[in-house]
Amino acid sequence: MIQSMTGFGKATCELGNKKITIEIKSLNSKQLDIFSRIPGIYKEKDLEIRSLISKTLKRGKVEFSMYMENLGGDSNASINKSVVEKYVEQIKEIAASKGLAEPINYFETILKLPDALKTEIQEIDEEEWHAITLAIDRALNQLIAFRITEGSSIKADLTEKINSIKEKSLNVVQYESERIETLRSRITENLNDLQTKPEFDKDRFEQEMIYYIEKFDINEEKVRLAHHLSYFLETMENKEQVGKKLGFIAQEIGREINTMGSKANHNEIQRLVILMKDDLEKIKEQILNAL
């Protein structure tokens, strides 16, 4: 099953006078990269949060954010009186020594200074942390649902592009007879020229003929391309993560298209090859965001 690596999940929970909001965003990445922003009180849980995320998300650049909002009631933050009083004394001394006017509103200035506010360290009880982990799970589930929805769009687009390549490769057939006739005429003309020369070497000629027949034959490329296209569509139906595997198959598709183009020797076939390459580039762009 194809999932997008782009996703977003959000969940909240209320714990007494606190409201905890969890937000998880993900973008495409070759591996799992987790960046977390959490309140200081929960810093000790950072590794546990990363473990919860890594069990669910295997790839992607993941940004985890936890916000804490005070809903009223007692707060663990208070004014550090001794520090504030010391700041007031120092401001008065400096103002007097410099002949400056004292601030009209001491609090507006001082409360922004370091250590003017102190926060009592709170311990996280098991019940509170359990509620938070449930919120993280809900956010992760929401993100996965988002990824699945986006993955359906990616799958539809990839299917359309693969079928487009398949259609163009089948259109090559209509130019095969003209292409073969052109090659036959060219070889026949060269053969007639060679036979008039006294140094004509029949064995060497046969070797050259075999070489050119193999050089211009694109039947094997058409067969392998058809196989790769079918395998691509089949792989998209797997329940496991298939993004990397689809990338490998796309590389093989590209090799067959390129070889077909180098052997074509026909303007219309070359045009079809260019159009197939264009479809393949769009496929590769989509695969970059496929899980």
Side-chain angles (χ1 to χ4, degrees), residues 41-132:
I41 185 176
Y42 299 109
K43 283 292 183 182
E44 65 184 79
K45 297 294 186 180
D46 185 66
L47 290 177
E48 193 170 339
I49 290 170
R50 290 173 180 270
S51 177
L52 290 170
I53 294 172
S54 62
K55 288 177 181 177
T56 305
L57 308 179
K58 303 304 180 183
R59 286 178 63 198
K61 182 178 180 181
V62 179
E63 183 179 314
F64 176 89
S65 300
M66 180 191 294
Y67 305 101
M68 183 173 65
E69 179 184 353
N70 194 316
L71 299 177
D74 296 334
S75 172
N76 63 325
S78 60
I79 296 175
N80 196 332
K81 294 181 181 179
S82 60
V83 172
V84 170
E85 289 173 354
K86 194 66 177 176
Y87 278 141
V88 172
E89 291 177 9
Q90 292 176 10
I91 291 172
K92 286 182 177 181
E93 289 175 4
I94 293 172
S97 64
K98 300 296 182 179
L100 300 174
E102 296 181 12
I104 297 174
N105 189 339
Y106 276 101
F107 284 106
E108 184 177 351
T109 303
I110 294 174
L111 292 180
K112 296 178 182 178
L113 297 176
D115 302 322
L117 295 176
K118 61 181 180 180
T119 303
E120 297 178 5
I121 299 176
Q122 293 181 325
E123 293 186 357
I124 306 170
D125 59 47
E126 292 185 7
E127 185 178 346
E128 176 182 342
W129 179 241
H130 178 66
I132 292 174

Side-chain angles (χ1 to χ4, degrees), residues 175-188:
Y175 302 109
E176 279 289 277
S177 57
E178 180 182 339
R179 171 177 173 272
I180 292 171
E181 184 59 37
T182 301
L183 291 173
R184 182 185 290 112
S185 299
R186 188 183 305 169
I187 292 172
T188 301

Side-chain angles (χ1 to χ4, degrees), residues 22-48:
I22 306 294
E23 289 185 357
I24 308 176
K25 294 185 285 188
S26 68
L27 297 171
N28 59 312
S29 178
K30 291 183 178 180
Q31 59 270 337
L32 180 63
D33 296 318
I34 302 173
F35 302 88
S36 62
R37 287 200 300 265
I38 57 180
I41 185 176
Y42 299 109
K43 283 292 183 182
E44 65 184 79
K45 297 294 186 180
D46 185 66
L47 290 177
E48 193 170 339

